[in-house]
């Protein structure tokens, strides 16, 4: 039976984290991994403005073949990265133990991953692999997506759960809408953009932990 592990890794402990170095309040969100031949090309967002120095530093890394801008908006930029994943022990472990990456968020200090493994043993083998590779890995929580009694929040972090519960209570999902994301943001004391991202990630988590497992089981 599959399990989902939510883990934290220091940005400097794996190669992609070293390549995608951001500064200040910027953050990185991995949108997907696009399989090309034997490689997996990351498609990722940089929140906050992506400085030209970021692109230059990424391009200079010896494992990087090419970085491309795909879409540019006022507060975020979508990139694709062609790189040699074989040198990254974290992603190598995911591949070796059949891990499916559900989400990844990076900051200057650390990355948060949600990874689905086919069994508990596969997750344990992955964590052992990371320790042997000198990767400081913290397991935040582990879920069995098909058994609701192992965790009531289906992968939601506390901020995501707070945001989506408040949005429902205030009528954001009503027709017509009972409030705006800015009004929800004001209640939480955070920015409009932060609320939008929390709600989007919350919905992705709920689908990943509920509907996706049901679909995969046929």
């Amino acid at each position: 039976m599959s399990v989902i592990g939510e883990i934290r890794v220091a940005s400097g402990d794996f190669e992609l984290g070293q390549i995608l170095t951001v500064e200040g309040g910027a953050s990185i969100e991995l949108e997907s991994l696009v399989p090309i031949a034997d490689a997996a090309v990351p498609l990722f967002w940089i929140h906050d403005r992506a400085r030209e120095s970021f692109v230059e530093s990424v391009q200079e890394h010896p494992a990087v073949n090419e970085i491309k801008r795909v879409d540019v908006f006022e507060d975020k930029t979508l990139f694709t990265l062609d790189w040699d994943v074989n040198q990254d022990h974290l992603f190598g472990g995911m591949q070796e133990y059949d891990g499916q990456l559900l989400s990844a968020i990076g900051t200057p200090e650390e990355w948060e991953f949600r990874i689905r493994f086919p069994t508990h043993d596969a997750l344990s083998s992955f964590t052992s692999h990371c320790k042997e590779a000198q990767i400081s890995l913290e397991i935040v929580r582990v879920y069995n997506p098909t058994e609701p009694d192992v965790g009531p929040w289906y992968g939601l972090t506390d901020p995501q759960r707070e945001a989506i519960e408040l949005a429902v209570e205030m009528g954001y999902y009503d027709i017509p809408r009972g409030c705006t994301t800015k009004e929800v943001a004001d209640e939480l004391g955070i920015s409009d953009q932060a609320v939008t991202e929390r709600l989007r990630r919350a919905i992705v988590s709920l689908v990943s932990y509920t509907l996706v497992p049901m679909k995969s089981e046929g």
Side-chain angles (χ1 to χ4, degrees), residues 10-21 57-58 61 88 111:
S11 299
D13 277 10
F14 65 106
E15 189 165 52
L16 187 62
Q18 296 170 12
I19 292 172
L20 302 180
T21 301
S57 66
V58 170
H61 194 283
D88 194 309
W111 283 65

Side-chain angles (χ1 to χ4, degrees), residues 119-161:
T119 63
H120 275 281
D121 287 343
L123 172 58
S124 296
S125 297
F126 167 75
T127 57
S128 297
H129 164 91
C130 289
K131 290 178 181 178
E132 291 175 3
Q134 305 299 311
I135 296 173
S136 300
L137 180 149
E138 176 190 354
I139 297 181
V140 179
R141 62 184 78 180
V142 176
Y143 297 94
N144 183 322
T146 61
E147 293 183 7
D149 59 341
V150 301
W153 305 124
Y154 299 100
L156 295 177
T157 64
D158 289 340
Q160 289 168 2
R161 179 169 62 87

Side-chain angles (χ1 to χ4, degrees), residues 85-100 115-118 122-123 125-130 133 135:
V85 71
N86 294 322
Q87 302 303 314
D88 194 309
H89 295 294
L90 181 72
F91 283 85
M94 290 185 206
Q95 184 176 23
E96 182 176 354
Y97 298 106
D98 299 321
Q100 177 190 2
I115 312 169
R116 186 194 308 277
F117 289 93
L123 172 58
S125 297
F126 167 75
T127 57
S128 297
H129 164 91
C130 289
I135 296 173

Side-chain angles (χ1 to χ4, degrees), residues 164-179:
I164 200 166
E165 284 184 348
L166 183 60
V168 170
E169 291 171 3
M170 294 179 65
Y172 177 72
Y173 294 104
D174 293 349
I175 301 176
R177 290 194 191 279
C179 67

Side-chain angles (χ1 to χ4, degrees), residues 63-83:
V64 172
N65 297 319
E66 188 177 27
I67 180 173
K68 286 184 178 180
R69 287 185 177 90
V70 179
D71 279 312
V72 179
F73 298 92
E74 183 178 350
D75 58 348
K76 61 183 179 179
T77 305
L78 182 65
F79 289 93
T80 182
L81 179 69
D82 182 2
W83 68 305

